[in-house]
């Protein structure tokens, strides 16, 4: 029988069915996820809105700290969970759902794009309340907000696309056991702690120019700063254009790394 | 009678030896990940950068205050990793059930807890000395009582191990790990003093401040802040040590109960 090449339309049909299936799964676990987010948000609002100011944190630093430590870090943490789940799905030792999906008449690039798209949708749904509720509860801290919500949502999606690619690549790049044992301590904690997540980049520069320059190499510095600039206004944060360029560059690099990882894990011959 | 006791004791020691054999090769990995990387990164991120960016360049007291509680995350992380080998074993091969056929189940659990306690304690000892070397004056140790630091770490390691052993035996599904960290561990360490000491929470809300007495992490961070910084703002060392051992006993008793329910041993 002659093999019929699949058209773009066929691919899209399967892609949408897979996405639909994932959305059904999301519907089932959404309640549990929202409970987690409610707990996290309450604690973050208390910590950054009430406790830190009592320690002497200047009022104008609450909003950028909340965006970095509560919102951006939550996106990255969700990325880590995505990576962990993906790692279990890669057919290393046993038959997995991914193994079945790889047999579908759908190019791998489409299949993995669906994975990343699902991550973006899921993370967007569960992280947006954190910023909306945060801004509402910490009104006085966000009072001088000069950004624009539409711009913020757009930037949020850009950050989610980058995070999806980054954490997807991470799951494919490393050996299963190395990932399980070391990924947080030897990789992610460096990215998270040596970045502008916990302080704004200009505040770091004022404290330590060396670390500020070093942190510019870290994509998480740019993802956090661009979220701050989009919501709070450009003044005091890295220029949006720079950060956008850096995120684009790191996304392309992430795709190259992911391709290498996929080849390593799934095409051993 | 004496023979039985000595045989039980011998098997108990053999189990401890077996644990040491299993984790011997992993010690260097744990030591690098939790004993070196965490203090290095936290010293830079929180003591060197964050505290100076928020509270001023020369506010050494604040960098010491912020950094003193940071150990709670590597402590809980190590305890989680080492005890959750039991969790995965119970989901898979159930090797531990074989051990219960040669030794009383309670003693099997006790052997695991004792070994893990020693293991985690050894890993956490270099945390503050290493950070002191890195930070110099930024970590103000002029009032530090190093004996108390070690003493609190000793009690804290036991508490974290017994707490996570309870979780390892109690939870039955891999999805529960996410729940453990998002719904239980995150509030425990964030409100338990990772950054903010108890008296600040009390200043905000006396009710919340008093509620923190039932959070075991409070005694870890308060004890360490008392040992490192000292002063009337923090709970006394005596209170912290007593509370840490009380929590450890409570969690171990619950673990025994949960283990009994889990494998239904006789």
């Amino acid at each position: 029988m002659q093999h019929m090449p699949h058209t773009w339309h066929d691919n899209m049909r399967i892609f949408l069915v897979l996405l639909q299936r994932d959305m059904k799964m999301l519907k089932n676990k959404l309640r549990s996820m929202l409970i987690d987010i409610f707990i996290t948000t309450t604690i973050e609002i208390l910590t950054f809105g009430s406790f830190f100011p009592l320690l002497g944190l200047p009022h104008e630093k609450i909003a950028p700290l909340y965006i970095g430590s509560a919102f951006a870090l939550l996106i990255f943490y969700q990325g880590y969970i995505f990576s962990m789940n993906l790692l279990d799905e890669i057919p290393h030792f046993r038959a997995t759902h991914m193994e079945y999906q790889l047999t579908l008449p759908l190019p791998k690039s489409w299949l993995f794009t669906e994975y990343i798209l699902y991550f973006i949708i899921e993370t967007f749904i569960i992280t947006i309340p954190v910023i909306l509720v945060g801004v509402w509860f910490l009104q006085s801290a966000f009072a001088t907000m000069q950004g624009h919500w539409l711009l913020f949502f757009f930037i949020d999606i850009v950050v989610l696309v980058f995070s999806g690619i980054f954490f997807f690549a991470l799951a494919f790049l490393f050996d299963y056991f190395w990932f399980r044992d070391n990924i947080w301590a030897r990789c992610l904690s460096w990215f998270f702690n040596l970045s502008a997540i916990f302080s704004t980049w200009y505040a770091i520069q004022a404290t330590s120019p060396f670390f500020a320059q070093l942190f510019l190499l870290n994509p998480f510095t740019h993802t956090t700063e661009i979220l701050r600039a989009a919501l709070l206004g450009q003044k005091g944060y890295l220029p949006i254009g720079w950060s956008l360029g850096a995120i684009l560059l790191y996304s392309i690099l992430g795709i190259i790394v992911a391709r290498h990882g996929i080849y390593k894990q799934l095409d051993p011959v | 009678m004496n023979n039985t006791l000595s045989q039980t004791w011998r098997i108990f020691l053999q189990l401890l030896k077996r644990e040491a054999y299993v984790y011997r090769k992993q010690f260097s990995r744990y030591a690098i990940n939790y004993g070196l990387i965490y203090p290095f990164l936290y010293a830079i991120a929180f003591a060197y950068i964050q505290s100076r960016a928020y509270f001023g360049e020369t506010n050494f007291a604040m960098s010491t205050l912020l950094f003193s509680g940071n150990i709670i995350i590597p402590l809980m992380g190590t305890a989680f990793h080492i005890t959750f080998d039991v969790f995965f074993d119970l989901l898979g091969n159930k090797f531990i059930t074989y051990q219960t056929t040669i030794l009383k189940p309670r003693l099997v659990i006790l052997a695991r807890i004792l070994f893990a306690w020693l293991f985690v304690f050894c890993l956490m000892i270099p945390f503050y000395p290493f950070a002191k070397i890195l930070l110099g004056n930024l970590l103000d140790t002029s009032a530090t009582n190093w004996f108390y630091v070690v003493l609190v770490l000793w009690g804290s390691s036991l508490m974290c191990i017994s707490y996570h052993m309870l979780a390892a035996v109690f939870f039955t599904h891999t999805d529960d790990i996410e729940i453990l960290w998002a719904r239980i561990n995150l509030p425990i360490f964030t409100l338990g003093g990772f950054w903010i000491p108890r008296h600040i929470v009390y200043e905000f809300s006396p009710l919340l401040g008093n509620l923190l007495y039932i959070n075991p992490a409070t005694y870890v961070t308060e004890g360490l802040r008392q040992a490192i910084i000292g002063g009337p703002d923090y709970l006394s060392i005596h209170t912290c040590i007593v509370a840490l051992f009380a929590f450890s006993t409570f969690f171990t008793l619950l673990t025994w109960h949960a283990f009994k329910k889990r494998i239904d041993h006789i």
Side-chain angles (χ1 to χ4, degrees):
Chain A
M1 194 175 85
Q2 197 182 350
H3 181 70
M4 291 288 286
H6 284 276
T7 62
W8 190 89
H9 182 260
D10 293 331
N11 290 340
M12 182 50 94
R13 202 166 47 83
I14 301 169
F15 181 91
L16 288 176
V17 170
L18 289 176
L19 191 62
Q20 202 178 14
R21 179 235 171 225
D22 281 344
M23 296 314 288
K24 271 189 184 164
M25 299 286 286
L26 175 63
K27 205 176 142 190
N28 290 338
K29 60 181 184 179
L30 193 62
R31 194 169 148 264
S32 170
M33 290 173 118
L34 288 175
I35 291 171
D36 292 351
I37 295 304
F38 170 75
I39 293 169
T40 310
T41 310
T42 309
I43 290 170
E44 304 289 16
I45 289 173
L46 277 173
T47 304
F48 300 116
S50 305
F51 302 154
F52 261 111
L54 283 174
L55 269 183
L57 179 76
H59 190 256
E60 68 275 10
K61 290 189 175 168
I62 295 174
L65 179 59
Y66 185 83
I67 292 173
S69 305
F71 181 67
L73 195 58
L74 183 65
I75 291 177
F76 308 144
Y77 182 71
Q78 291 300 321
Y80 165 67
I81 306 256
F82 170 58
S83 232
M84 290 286 283
N85 292 338
L86 205 55
L87 185 77
D88 281 331
E89 278 298 313
I90 299 171
H92 291 107
F93 320 107
R94 58 187 171 85
T96 63
H97 195 66
M98 185 194 284
E99 194 172 21
Y100 155 70
Q101 289 181 329
L102 285 166
T103 64
L104 292 172
L106 186 72
K108 280 196 200 83
S109 55
W110 281 72
L111 177 65
F112 294 140
T113 304
E114 192 276 330
Y115 280 26
I116 293 172
L117 180 64
Y118 172 70
F119 163 76
I120 293 168
I121 296 169
E122 181 190 278
T123 310
F124 185 81
I125 291 172
I126 59 174
T127 54
I128 276 300
V130 176
I131 199 73
L132 295 177
V133 174
V135 170
W136 190 68
F137 268 97
L138 304 172
Q139 278 171 21
S140 62
F142 283 90
T144 53
M145 206 167 87
Q146 288 172 340
H148 199 282
W149 278 109
L150 270 181
L151 176 67
F152 178 76
F153 289 135
F154 168 73
I155 293 295
D156 187 25
I157 304 256
V158 171
V159 169
L160 287 171
V161 171
F162 161 76
S163 302
I165 293 168
F166 179 88
F167 288 101
F168 177 88
L170 219 56
F172 277 93
L173 192 61
F174 296 107
D175 165 73
Y176 180 84
F177 291 107
W178 192 92
F179 189 104
R180 283 255 165 209
D181 293 338
N182 301 308
I183 198 72
W184 189 271
R186 297 194 187 179
C187 179
L188 292 177
S189 62
W190 292 78
F191 274 113
F192 296 162
N193 288 304
L194 304 183
S195 74
I197 291 177
F198 300 106
S199 312
T200 66
W201 187 82
Y202 282 106
I204 297 168
Q205 199 193 27
T207 311
S208 167
F210 168 75
F211 279 115
Q213 298 302 317
L214 188 71
F215 290 5
L216 280 179
L217 297 173
N218 185 343
F220 292 96
T221 292
H222 298 283
T223 47
T224 312
E225 282 284 292
I226 201 172
L227 286 168
R228 287 180 180 133
L231 192 61
L232 303 174
Q234 183 59 80
K235 198 182 163 202
Y237 310 105
L238 286 175
I240 289 182
W242 282 23
S243 296
L244 209 53
I247 291 170
L248 183 68
L249 192 73
Y250 280 114
S251 300
I252 293 167
L253 200 66
I255 291 169
I256 295 167
V257 171
R259 285 173 70 95
H260 169 74
I262 290 165
Y263 179 78
K264 205 172 83 171
Q265 301 276 5
L266 301 178
D267 283 328
V269 183
Chain B
M1 180 70 180
N2 274 346
N3 264 350
T4 318
L5 260 178
S6 98
Q7 202 176 0
T8 304
W9 178 240
R10 270 214 318 275
I11 298 171
F12 185 81
L13 288 179
Q14 280 297 325
L15 285 195
L16 284 178
K17 206 170 152 186
R18 182 238 169 222
E19 293 291 294
Y21 181 78
V22 169
Y23 286 98
R24 188 178 46 126
K25 285 182 180 166
Q26 297 182 44
F27 187 80
S28 58
R29 175 174 66 79
Y30 273 100
I32 292 167
N33 288 2
Y34 294 99
L36 293 177
I37 292 177
Y38 273 94
F40 175 76
L41 291 176
Y42 285 180
I44 293 174
F46 302 127
Y48 184 71
I49 294 173
Q50 194 190 36
S51 72
R52 296 192 326 156
Y54 293 172
F55 306 109
E57 297 258 333
T58 51
N59 200 339
F60 298 159
M62 202 51 83
S63 56
T64 309
L65 184 145
L66 283 183
F67 184 75
S68 302
N70 291 168
I71 198 171
I72 189 74
I73 286 188
L75 191 57
M76 287 178 80
T78 329
F80 166 79
H81 274 285
I82 195 163
T83 53
F84 265 63
D85 284 347
V86 173
F87 171 84
F88 289 110
D89 180 50
L90 283 168
L91 285 186
N93 296 331
K94 293 192 172 62
F95 175 72
I96 200 166
T97 55
Y98 156 70
Q99 292 182 324
T100 59
T101 62
I102 53 169
L103 192 68
K104 283 181 182 170
R106 288 181 175 190
L107 291 178
V108 171
I109 290 290
L110 199 62
R112 297 268 182 151
I113 289 176
L114 283 180
F115 175 78
W117 175 22
L118 187 68
F119 190 84
V120 170
F121 174 60
C122 290
L123 287 171
M124 290 301 125
I125 285 180
F127 190 90
Y128 290 109
F130 181 50
K132 177 66 186 167
I133 293 167
L134 286 174
L135 292 166
N137 288 340
L138 265 178
L139 186 65
D140 182 5
T141 52
S142 56
T144 302
N145 184 327
W146 289 103
F147 172 72
Y148 283 158
V149 172
V150 174
L151 192 69
V152 176
L153 277 180
W154 187 58
S156 305
S157 307
L158 177 62
M159 189 281 292
C160 284
I161 286 295
S162 52
Y163 162 72
H164 279 99
M165 188 61 86
L166 171 63
V169 173
F170 181 77
F171 289 123
T172 53
H173 198 271
T174 46
D175 287 348
D176 294 337
I177 293 175
E178 261 180 72
I179 292 175
L180 170 72
W181 279 95
R183 294 187 195 172
I184 309 171
N185 283 359
L186 178 88
I188 279 183
F189 70 71
T190 314
L191 295 174
F194 175 73
W195 276 317
I196 311 292
R198 197 197 66 87
H199 71 270
I200 294 290
V201 180
Y202 186 85
E203 203 180 317
F204 168 72
S205 157
L207 175 68
L208 198 57
N210 284 330
L211 272 177
L212 288 184
Y213 284 117
I214 56 168
N215 180 351
T218 302
Y219 299 97
V220 177
T221 57
E222 286 287 305
L224 286 166
R225 287 198 170 102
Q226 180 63 258
I228 293 168
I229 304 165
D233 286 337
Y234 311 109
L235 297 176
S236 72
I237 294 288
H238 178 78
T239 308
C240 294
I241 291 291
V242 169
L244 286 169
F245 278 92
F247 271 111
S248 305
T249 310
F250 177 64
F251 291 140
T252 305
L253 291 174
L254 284 181
T255 308
W256 282 346
H257 178 70
F259 190 56
K260 163 84 179 158
K261 279 184 82 173
R262 182 78 184 269
I263 64 163
D264 198 20
H265 58 75
I266 298 162

